[in-house]
Amino acid sequence: MSASYVAVGWNRQKKIYDWLIAGFCFTYLLLFISVTLIVNEQVTFETLLIRSTSTLAVLLLHVILAIGPLCRLDKKFLPLLYNRRHLGVTMFTFALAHGGFSIFQFHALGNTNPFVSLFISNTNFNSFAAFPFQALGFFALLIFFLMAITSHDFWLHNLSPRVWKTLHMFVYLAYLLVVMHVMLGVIQYENNPVFVIIILAGAVTLITLHLLAGSKERKLDKRKFSLEQEGFMYVCPAEEIEDSRAKIFCIDKERIAVYRHENKLYAIHNVCKHQGGPLGEGKILDGCITCPWHGYQYLPHNGQSPPPFKEKVSTYDVKIIDGKVWLNPVPFPEGTERPGATIK
Amino acid sequence: MDNKEFYIGWMPAAPGGLAKHIRKVVVILIMLVITAGIILALQQKKFSTATFEFGQLTEITGIYQQFPVPSIKAMSNLDASGHSSSLTIPLVGYGKSGAEGIIAELEKEKNTTLDKKTVTFRGTLLYSDGKTLLQIDKNDDPLTKISDAVVNVPPAIKELGTVRLTGEILDPKCYFGVMKPGQGKPHRDCAIRCIAGGMSPVFYVRNEKGEANYYLILDAAGKKMNEQLKDIIAEPVSLRARAVQYDDWIVLYIDGMNKITRTGGLSWFKTKDGDTYCGVSHTINVSE
């Protein structure tokens, strides 16, 4: 969390993360290139470049897409999430190397502009088997490009979190385009079914992880709160909420985090203003509710980030009657101070 | 992991329990990276032995012939019995272009025609499977010698009748040397661009023994039909054509696009090219 923008706010963890990414990429490229040269020595430099970068980018994309649901399923994966955008930009760099060089290789030095050629060479749009798979890859690359150049928090704040998040959700469309790019492209040339199996295994893994994570959240969202008293809903016994931690309740399709801090309960909107992280899965540190995704902080009694930060979330009224927690799901305007409820 | 542990990326270090878990994840990822790198590299289809002598210029002397495709007919020296053999070397231009453009430029520059004259071309050789091509590039000053007189050495022509063949239309420059793979779906756009640029299309057929045969393609009138072929390049097709042998190349005269039909479909689970890419119904039926 930073009050001003710097290209990368380096710290020890970030450096370790990036060194690991570099190590993985280097290891993969070294292995792919050297094994290919040993067993398939007739390969050309161009093909080696196109294939090594593309397969690495697809591998990284799978890891990137798995991190989100893994973190939803188990908080122990959260350290992978914090710098996920570094992984995304790295993936884009390799995808760009693949796409850029492929456009040069297959479309340059011809009788038309390479980018025009990309769309007018193979025009079998009405055939699934003969579909112009390169265009699919191009559009996926375009999405990755937009995501990479807007990956910095500067763009998140200037585009607004909602627009930014919407844009970055296009990664799933890009993934679909990549899968079809591969399935309708090189896999139709290769004889070995292992490539189809790998792509399908990757897709099944990602779909399963997302379904599991979704089902976990759905379970939470589907919980019914039937006891109502003057607009307050009974949610749980007070002792169920650990000190400095929260429980999340979904009422009227809004998730609310009820935090326990210094023997009092406070309720705030569960969605972090930064990237929509689940505030209720965070922890109170130095008196501030801290988002588990990127460490954005809010004061429990008013939902405001401590100065000089300006983020604010909605607050809610909460009360305790006979050791039971009652929550009013009507939000107060973002940043409104509420007294909280004292635990006796 | 201790439930009191909480990870924040902007702190200098991760809590012990979390760090331990992430170390395990890193080990799994290393294994994934190693496995993926090796498997993907090992399972690729073998590349051809086609060669493009990039950066190496060779001079070839022979008779330039405009038909059936711009090429040089290079003659071997006489053997003991006084016979010589010939090798037809089709010419291709730089990048994704045929040789016609540069030949026209050279003819204009020399103010003469090249057809049926003895010439020496300097260019870059590409070859595979017994076929040789020469790339000529204006920057290489390609025409080093030209005879004044026309040489009358007609090609050995043999009518082979009507044939039905199943195979793939490809561009010869990439297939015979420049790219690997120079055929199939991954290469389709490039093949389309090369053929649109004037490269003479070649029909590739693989027989039951796995041997490759190559044919030049012209329309029934002996004209190029590059533009018409655009939509069926680099995919399995069957065609019916009149076949005529000119020295060491066979020309297929195709009487209209209705004589070519697609045969392929999705080919995700084939085990060898013959299964879908190049069917085997290629027997030449002289009597048909």
Side-chain angles (χ1 to χ4, degrees), chain A residues 39 124 174 210 258 262 277:
Chain A
V39 301
N124 286 308
H210 280 79
V258 179
E262 293 176 344

Side-chain angles (χ1 to χ4, degrees), chain A residues 1 11-13 20 24 27-28 31-32 35-36 39-40 42-44 46-47 51 55 59 63 74-80 82-83 104-112 117-118 120-124 127-134 183-196 198 200 242 245 281-283 285 290-292 294-297, chain B residues 1-14 17-19 21-22 25-27 29-30 32-51 94-97 177-193 196-198 230-232 235 262 264-273 276-277:
Chain A
M1 196 173 178
N11 64 18
R12 180 177 166 272
Q13 290 196 64
L20 283 171
F24 287 142
T27 305
Y28 180 85
L31 276 170
F32 185 92
V35 171
T36 301
V39 301
N40 218 338
Q42 294 294 337
V43 67
T44 59
E46 296 88 342
T47 301
R51 292 192 174 184
T55 49
L59 181 64
V63 174
D74 190 338
K75 292 178 191 172
K76 287 188 285 188
F77 289 98
L78 279 169
L80 299 177
Y82 187 79
N83 296 305
F104 180 80
Q105 168 96 333
F106 298 127
H107 297 279
L109 307 178
N111 59 356
T112 189
S117 170
L118 181 65
I120 65 164
S121 293
N122 181 0
T123 50
N124 286 308
S127 162
F128 188 58
F131 199 85
F133 74 100
Q134 290 189 352
M183 293 296 274
L184 297 177
V186 71
I187 281 185
Q188 288 206 56
Y189 170 75
E190 291 291 339
N191 289 336
N192 202 318
V194 75
F195 297 106
V196 184
I198 288 174
L200 291 181
E242 289 178 49
R245 292 283 191 176
E281 292 176 24
K283 188 178 182 181
L285 292 173
T290 307
C291 180
H294 299 94
Y296 269 57
Q297 294 190 307
Chain B
M1 174 188 166
D2 181 348
N3 196 39
K4 294 192 188 316
E5 286 191 343
F6 186 68
Y7 175 81
I8 312 175
W10 43 258
M11 299 288 273
L18 275 170
H21 179 258
I22 291 302
V25 174
V26 168
V27 171
L29 285 173
I30 289 172
L32 176 71
V33 161
I34 292 172
T35 311
I38 293 174
I39 287 181
L40 291 171
L42 281 176
Q43 302 302 323
Q44 297 171 94
K45 195 192 272 188
K46 291 284 180 193
F47 296 105
S48 75
T49 55
T51 302
Y94 176 74
K96 295 175 173 55
S97 57
V178 174
M179 288 192 195
K180 295 180 184 183
Q183 64 174 128
K185 187 77 183 280
H187 184 257
R188 168 177 284 170
D189 286 39
C190 181
I192 290 172
R193 193 56 33 223
K230 177 178 175 285
D231 285 340
I232 49 162
E235 66 175 296
R262 286 193 167 111
L266 283 177
S267 49
W268 288 337
F269 294 105
K270 62 187 182 297
T271 53
K272 57 181 191 290
D273 281 347
T276 52
Y277 238 94

Side-chain angles (χ1 to χ4, degrees), chain B residues 137-204:
Chain B
D137 177 5
K138 194 78 172 69
N139 295 321
D140 295 334
D141 194 10
L143 184 58
T144 58
K145 280 184 200 162
I146 175 169
S147 67
D148 291 331
V150 168
V151 185
N152 192 16
V153 182
I157 300 175
K158 186 179 175 187
E159 278 285 345
L160 300 172
T162 303
V163 297
R164 273 185 203 282
L165 298 166
T166 301
E168 177 186 340
I169 297 166
L170 42 81
D171 82 89
K173 184 175 179 183
C174 293
Y175 180 82
F176 289 115
V178 174
M179 288 192 195
K180 295 180 184 183
Q183 64 174 128
K185 187 77 183 280
H187 184 257
R188 168 177 284 170
D189 286 39
C190 181
I192 290 172
R193 193 56 33 223
C194 287
I195 290 172
M199 211 87 72
S200 302
V202 162
F203 196 58
Y204 156 75

